Amino acid sequence: MLVVLPLSAIAAPYAAYVIDARTGEVLHEQNANARLHPASLTKMMTLYIAFEAVQKGEISMDTMVTVSKKAASEEPSKLGLRPGQKIKLRYLVRAAAVKSANDAATAIGEGISGSEAAFARRMNRTAKKMGMTRTTFKNANGLTEEGHLSTAHDMTILGRHLLYDFPEYYNLFSRTSADAGGKTVYHTNRRFLASYKGADGIKTGYTRAAGFNLTASAQRGNERIIATVFGGKSTASRNAKVAELMDLGFRRAPSNAPVRKPDTPAYSAESVVVASNGEAPQGAGKTIRVTGAVTRSLRPSLRPGETPQPVLVAQAPPPPVVSPTDIAAALVEAQAAAIADAKPVTVAKVAPKTTSVRPEARPEDVVLASVDTSAAATTAIATETEPEVVTRLSTSGGHHWGVNVGRYPSHYAAEKVLLKTALSEMATLDGALRKVVRRPQGYEAHFVGMTRDTADLACRRLQARNVTCFMVGPAS
């Protein structure tokens, strides 16, 4: 007899991991390094790379992404995208973060890397640099695929990076609803967000193979806990288990602890060249690998059929040979010309130097200049020196670009970083203006008044020294 069990009765392997988000200290773990199906927890990495690509200037939130047939055909949950549809990246990000839309996640990957396979390679490179040693990504959305595996430990590490590396985007994970390009989407985790005090993210996941997964974060006072559960039996039981683990974390975490942010993974992505019309090309596109400073200069190769041409080097002519007789004749001629053109010169007698020189009396015949203060003279001067009004010309010379070197909790901290950075990178930041911009999330440190090339070079040099930096354009 065949017995059909409900989905909630099909138990996937269970795993859990709880940390103090401020320090990364482990507060609880169970089966945390078992390689299991992450389901839509995968989208945390998809979104992390999307935020990184925007920050580094590979793409913008307003870039129009063309939806491929593959993306449109992904299984639910989905936004309902159509093949050939053009949609802004910001709406795809909202749909992936809030609704966990699989078609939106695939479109993000294709829009950034040209294909989902190329995007998966970038996901794996980034995961490795974060220390996610037991994770392998095969797609951008988390649908079950052979070899697409992760662990509760690795997903918790990823959630912590989202929190600290991109605080300006983290609010997406606490929105209960969002506009996704004319459609309102609702958060898959809104029940937990509404029921657990301090909860503000992060991501749910479900497939039949994975069970009900959740990476959650909550803050109470100075304390913040991140917990991950794999293999829940239902949404309700999973949420209850995460709440239990969160409570355990808050009990074990110290009231005060220093915030030790995780190291941002090194940026070495292959980024698709965005077309001049602001659209991201689909399919296998031309890529640019960012590898730091140029180490050598290559000679241009010859055109087909062209033969090398001899290189002409300019040389100075040999000096003429001058005999002593010619030199003597030239000197005599020069002296004669000087005597003919000479004018009488009165040579003043110079008294011998003494230790004290008495000033000579002023000659009686010296005529002093005087100023005519008459009304007529004053009127004439005023007429001749009529002031000319000159309009000040712009001297920006295209210096509308800048660089951002991070966000800080106080104006003083931002100024301190700007000064330290300016002193360490004088070659490219000389002449740039230091500017602190107050935002709701903190104080951003900017260098402004730069050309695009100078800003790009400065960022590359700073990133080579592991300094957080991204370019700020004229419209920023």
Side-chain angles (χ1 to χ4, degrees):
M1 181 178 67
L2 179 65
V3 177
V4 180
L5 298 175
L7 291 178
S8 60
I10 304 174
Y14 173 81
Y17 196 67
V18 184
I19 65 169
D20 184 333
R22 299 166 297 178
T23 62
E25 179 186 358
V26 180
L27 303 175
H28 171 79
E29 59 181 314
Q30 181 178 343
N31 204 26
N33 290 310
R35 283 166 55 84
L36 304 171
H37 297 285
S40 285
L41 299 189
T42 300
K43 295 185 180 76
M44 288 194 293
M45 180 59 82
T46 300
L47 292 163
Y48 184 96
I49 293 177
F51 302 151
E52 180 186 58
V54 171
Q55 184 188 74
K56 301 300 182 181
E58 298 176 50
I59 196 169
S60 80
M61 284 294 183
D62 291 319
T63 297
M64 300 298 291
V65 176
T66 303
V67 179
S68 70
K69 184 177 180 181
K70 181 183 187 307
S73 64
E74 297 288 13
E75 298 177 10
S77 173
K78 59 195 300 180
L79 184 60
L81 300 173
R82 304 180 306 278
Q85 177 182 349
K86 297 182 187 298
I87 183 171
K88 289 184 178 180
L89 177 67
R90 69 173 67 253
Y91 297 134
L92 296 175
V93 165
R94 292 175 187 175
V98 176
K99 183 178 173 58
S100 195
N102 294 322
D103 52 356
T106 299
I108 291 171
E110 293 176 341
I112 292 174
S113 294
S115 69
E116 190 173 37
F119 189 73
R121 290 193 294 270
R122 177 167 177 175
M123 295 170 75
N124 289 322
R125 288 197 303 271
T126 306
K128 184 177 180 180
K129 291 170 185 174
M130 286 183 181
M132 299 170 62
T133 58
R134 297 182 62 79
T135 294
T136 305
F137 293 113
K138 297 288 186 177
N139 57 56
N141 50 46
L143 289 172
T144 303
E145 187 172 341
E146 184 178 359
H148 186 98
L149 301 169
S150 186
T151 69
H153 166 273
D154 286 1
M155 283 296 158
T156 306
I157 297 301
L158 175 55
R160 187 167 184 248
H161 272 280
L162 273 172
L163 171 67
Y164 285 112
D165 292 354
F166 296 105
E168 64 269 37
Y169 294 113
Y170 184 74
N171 68 87
L172 277 171
F173 301 104
S174 61
R175 295 186 187 181
T176 55
S177 64
D179 172 24
K183 294 183 179 180
T184 300
V185 293
Y186 297 94
H187 207 301
T188 57
N189 196 32
R190 58 187 181 275
R191 291 182 182 177
F192 183 80
L193 292 172
S195 63
Y196 193 81
K197 180 182 177 182
D200 57 10
I202 305 178
K203 192 72 192 71
T204 62
Y206 169 77
T207 62
R208 184 173 298 183
F212 293 83
N213 299 348
L214 175 60
T215 295
S217 177
Q219 183 174 18
R220 294 178 179 177
N222 295 326
E223 302 169 27
R224 178 178 284 278
I225 303 299
I226 298 178
T228 296
V229 164
F230 275 56
K233 295 181 180 180
S234 67
T235 299
S237 65
R238 175 202 64 194
N239 289 354
K241 186 63 180 178
V242 172
E244 176 187 332
L245 293 174
M246 283 284 188
D247 290 342
L248 179 150
F250 281 116
R251 287 197 303 271
R252 295 183 178 179
S255 298
N256 293 295
V259 176
R260 294 194 292 267
K261 297 180 182 180
D263 294 333
T264 303
Y267 172 68
S268 60
E270 287 183 352
S271 54
V272 173
V273 177
V274 179
S276 58
N277 60 1
E279 295 184 9
Q282 309 300 310
K286 179 182 177 183
T287 62
I288 299 175
R289 181 179 294 276
V290 179
T291 57
V294 177
T295 57
R296 59 175 179 158
S297 178
L298 302 178
R299 183 182 297 277
S301 57
L302 297 175
R303 295 177 179 177
E306 192 175 31
T307 57
Q309 299 295 323
V311 178
L312 301 179
V313 180
Q315 295 182 345
V321 178
V322 182
S323 66
T325 305
D326 295 333
I327 294 174
L331 286 173
V332 171
E333 184 179 349
Q335 289 172 353
I339 293 171
D341 295 336
K343 296 180 180 179
V345 178
T346 303
V347 180
K349 292 183 179 180
V350 180
K353 260 192 168 182
T354 61
T355 55
S356 176
V357 178
R358 182 185 299 277
E360 297 182 1
R362 179 182 295 170
E364 296 294 336
D365 57 348
V366 172
V367 179
L368 298 177
S370 60
V371 179
D372 186 357
T373 58
S374 65
T378 304
T379 305
I381 293 172
T383 304
E384 293 175 0
T385 59
E386 184 70 24
E388 180 182 358
V389 179
V390 179
T391 302
R392 183 180 179 184
L393 301 178
S394 172
T395 58
S396 63
H399 293 208
H400 303 299
W401 289 78
V403 297
N404 179 300
V405 291
R407 179 180 291 126
Y408 302 93
S410 69
H411 192 285
Y412 171 78
E415 283 282 8
K416 184 177 179 181
V417 170
L418 284 172
L419 180 58
K420 181 179 178 182
T421 306
L423 293 174
S424 65
E425 186 51 45
M426 296 179 66
T428 54
L429 295 177
D430 184 29
L433 301 177
R434 299 193 299 272
K435 180 180 181 182
V436 176
V437 180
R438 185 174 183 179
R439 304 289 189 196
Q441 300 86 358
Y443 294 83
E444 294 186 355
H446 290 257
F447 287 94
V448 298
M450 307 169 70
T451 65
R452 177 170 185 158
D453 291 342
T454 305
D456 179 61
L457 177 60
C459 258
R460 288 173 183 270
R461 290 171 65 97
L462 290 172
Q463 288 165 7
R465 291 201 296 268
N466 293 323
V467 176
T468 301
C469 179
F470 63 91
M471 292 172 58
V472 179
S476 299

